[in-house]
């Protein structure tokens, strides 16, 4: 790992530590049975969903730091692989060092490879909006600020674009969120996998302060809100490579 990578990871750790320290002081006053995780927004499934009978589907979502988004979808049944990476910019700037500057047009994103016979694109969208991130936060998620942390769906087909756009309209009409949804829907031009040290980060670092405070609650929410879709065994990138 380069000096820059260590520096940026240290910064993210510091953000997590600051929030974690405050939260720990508050939660210490609660009964042991109190759940410290934020509640997910319980939402209905999309009114329309994919119809193509394919063996493999691809979905690309951006919703803040890719550590947590990857971790959520790795625990979804039917997901074969979920890779952290960058989408929205060019290959020349698809590095953590460049993307962290916020001027590359890239978003931290996750490419999900899934079995449509076990989980549909619409179900993945439902999880994305419900527990993976907050779709009402413009160009930030939690402690992470910048356009690289924006909420965006990168579609790989006209059908995906129709499903995603229709679902956002459905959720807005039903006023299920306190603020307007700011998620963008864009056609995907390319996805670039992130550096190896970012892959499977949540699973490999479950006690990391940033992960504990910002991301482990998402896994608990997935288990609680989508019990039939939850997989206790994550689909890890390193296993897929092996």
């Amino acid at each position: 790992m380069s000096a820059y990578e260590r520096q940026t990871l240290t910064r993210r750790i510091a953000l997590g530590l600051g929030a974690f320290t405050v939260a720990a002081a508050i939660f210490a006053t609660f009964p042991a049975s109190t759940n410290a995780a934020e509640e997910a927004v319980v939402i209905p499934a999309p009114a329309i969903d994919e119809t193509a009978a394919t063996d493999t589907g691809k979905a690309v979502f951006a919703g803040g730091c890719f550590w947590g988004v990857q971790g959520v979808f790795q625990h979804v049944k039917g997901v074969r692989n979920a890779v952290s990476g960058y989408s929205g910019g060019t290959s020349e700037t698809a590095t953590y060092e460049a993307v962290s500057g916020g001027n590359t047009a890239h978003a931290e994103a996750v490419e999900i490879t899934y079995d449509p016979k076990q989980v549909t694109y619409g179900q993945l969208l439902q999880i994305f909006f419900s527990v993976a991130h907050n779709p009402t936060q413009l160009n930030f998620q939690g402690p992470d600020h910048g356009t690289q942390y924006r909420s965006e769906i990168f579609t790989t087909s006209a059908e995906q674009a129709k499903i995603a756009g229709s679902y956002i309209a459905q959720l807005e009409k039903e006023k299920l969120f306190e603020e307007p949804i700011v998620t963008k829907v864009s056609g995907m031009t390319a996805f670039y996998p992130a550096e190896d040290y970012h892959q499977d980060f949540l699973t490999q670092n479950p006690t990391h302060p940033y992960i504990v405070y910002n991301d482990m609650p998402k896994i608990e929410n997935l288990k609680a809100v989508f019990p039939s879709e939850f997989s206790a065994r994550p689909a890890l990138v390193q296993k897929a490579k092996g």
Side-chain angles (χ1 to χ4, degrees):
M1 186 183 300
S2 70
Y4 177 84
E5 291 165 351
R6 286 194 297 271
Q7 179 183 10
T8 51
L9 283 176
T10 300
R11 179 184 61 81
R12 190 167 278 180
I13 290 171
L15 288 170
L17 275 172
F20 183 72
T21 301
V22 173
I26 296 173
F27 297 144
T29 65
F30 292 169
S33 60
T34 300
N35 183 359
E38 292 184 7
E39 291 186 5
V41 179
V42 179
I43 57 177
I48 63 170
D49 206 342
E50 63 185 340
T51 57
T54 60
D55 292 330
T56 302
K58 293 271 190 183
V60 179
F61 301 146
C65 173
F66 42 32
W67 293 346
V69 178
Q70 180 192 46
V72 166
F73 286 105
Q74 286 181 321
H75 280 280
V76 175
K77 291 180 181 177
V79 169
R80 295 170 176 165
N81 200 10
V83 180
S84 290
Y86 314 105
S87 202
T90 65
S91 60
E92 290 77 12
T93 58
T95 66
Y96 189 63
E97 179 175 358
V99 173
S100 293
N103 299 310
T104 64
H106 278 298
E108 290 196 9
V110 175
E111 181 185 63
I112 302 155
T113 303
Y114 64 98
D115 180 355
K117 298 181 180 65
Q118 295 186 60
V119 62
T120 67
Y121 184 68
Q123 287 175 306
L124 294 176
L125 283 175
Q126 186 180 14
I127 291 169
F128 176 64
F129 283 111
S130 175
V131 303
H133 85 308
N134 183 341
T136 70
Q137 295 180 343
L138 182 62
N139 295 330
F140 79 98
Q141 285 290 310
D144 300 311
H145 289 249
T147 57
Q148 68 271 33
Y149 300 114
R150 65 187 181 269
S151 174
E152 188 162 3
I153 298 165
F154 295 94
T155 60
T156 62
S157 67
E159 183 181 39
Q160 284 192 358
K162 179 180 179 181
I163 294 168
S166 173
Y167 193 34
I168 291 173
Q170 175 187 338
L171 296 177
E172 286 282 70
K173 182 178 180 180
E174 297 182 21
K175 300 185 184 303
L176 297 167
F177 293 90
E178 294 182 0
E179 301 292 335
I181 292 174
V182 297
T183 307
K184 295 173 58 179
V185 179
S186 306
M188 191 186 73
T189 54
F191 174 84
Y192 306 97
E195 295 80 356
D196 284 347
Y197 69 92
H198 283 301
Q199 307 302 339
D200 304 330
F201 195 90
L202 182 148
T203 300
Q204 293 181 4
N205 301 275
T207 61
H208 185 303
Y210 182 98
I211 295 296
V212 170
Y213 184 74
N214 295 290
D215 295 329
M216 292 310 291
K218 298 177 182 180
I219 306 302
E220 293 304 313
N221 285 338
L222 176 68
K223 187 189 304 185
V225 179
F226 299 95
S228 61
E229 286 82 17
F230 178 77
S231 172
R233 179 175 296 179
L236 299 180
V237 174
Q238 297 305 322
K239 286 185 179 179
K241 286 182 178 180

